[in-house]
Amino acid sequence: MPLDPKTFPRPPLLERVAKHILVKWPGADGPVIADTRNAYWVLETYHPPMKWSQELTGHNSAYYIPKTDVKATLTPTPRQTYCEWKGPASYFSIQEPSTGNSIENKIWTYNNPTPRFKDIAGHLSFYAEPWECFVDGEKVDAQAGSFYGGWMTSDILRESVKGAPGTLGW
């Protein structure tokens, strides 16, 4: 049965999930960035699991991975945002292994989240791109639009997801 984001709660729901979450660099032999079965997700109305971002209101995110399950070296960046539900977010850069290029602000954490989200303190979350992300072996698609970065799996009812033209005001 599909997950319908228009039925997800507001304020968002935080849950531990038993799903296998894998983030890796592209290609058959792409190095693993993060690998866990100990993630949390956050579900919020009209958003697939993962995130949306803007300077003032921060993220609507799911899949938060414990730092101990992240295999790559991350470097803090100066970027900070604020989510009305989760509090202040901090960002990281990561070095792409084949080119050495730095990819900035596509990974974030809430070091001191609000009490409702205390369980994800220090966990890391990732945009669905430029790496490859998998949920229980299924490669995810990135949510439509550059404003959001949700992880779209086959069980998400896509017509209930913000991001495509004409959906920003929902």
Side-chain angles (χ1 to χ4, degrees), residues 24-86:
K24 68 180 219 42
W25 292 105
D29 296 324
V32 170
I33 299 170
D35 189 355
T36 192
R37 292 183 185 273
N38 296 306
Y40 284 88
W41 70 357
V42 175
L43 300 178
E44 184 176 349
T45 309
Y46 292 109
H47 301 282
M50 195 50 178
K51 89 174 257 327
W52 66 275
S53 173
Q54 64 180 354
E55 288 299 324
L56 296 176
T57 60
H59 300 89
N60 171 28
S61 313
Y63 305 120
Y64 286 87
I65 299 169
K67 279 185 183 175
T68 55
D69 292 336
V70 175
K71 316 298 184 207
T73 301
L74 305 178
T75 304
T77 70
R79 181 176 167 94
Q80 301 276 314
T81 60
Y82 187 83
C83 171
E84 66 181 313
W85 306 112
K86 293 180 272 326

Side-chain angles (χ1 to χ4, degrees), residues 84-135:
E84 66 181 313
W85 306 112
K86 293 180 272 326
S90 301
Y91 293 77
F92 298 90
S93 67
I94 186 171
Q95 195 169 39
E96 202 279 323
S98 65
T99 66
N101 292 336
S102 179
I103 297 171
E104 296 188 355
N105 304 321
K106 298 281 187 174
I107 305 165
W108 70 96
T109 189
Y110 295 95
N111 287 316
N112 297 298
T114 60
R116 176 187 288 250
F117 293 95
K118 66 180 174 35
D119 290 339
I120 60 169
H123 283 53
L124 296 159
S125 196
F126 294 76
Y127 272 89
E129 296 175 331
W131 27 75
E132 295 177 339
C133 301
F134 297 84
V135 176

Side-chain angles (χ1 to χ4, degrees), residues 149-166:
W151 291 25
M152 299 290 290
T153 51
S154 60
D155 58 349
I156 300 291
L157 189 62
R158 293 177 185 239
E159 55 268 20
S160 293
V161 175
K162 281 182 160 185

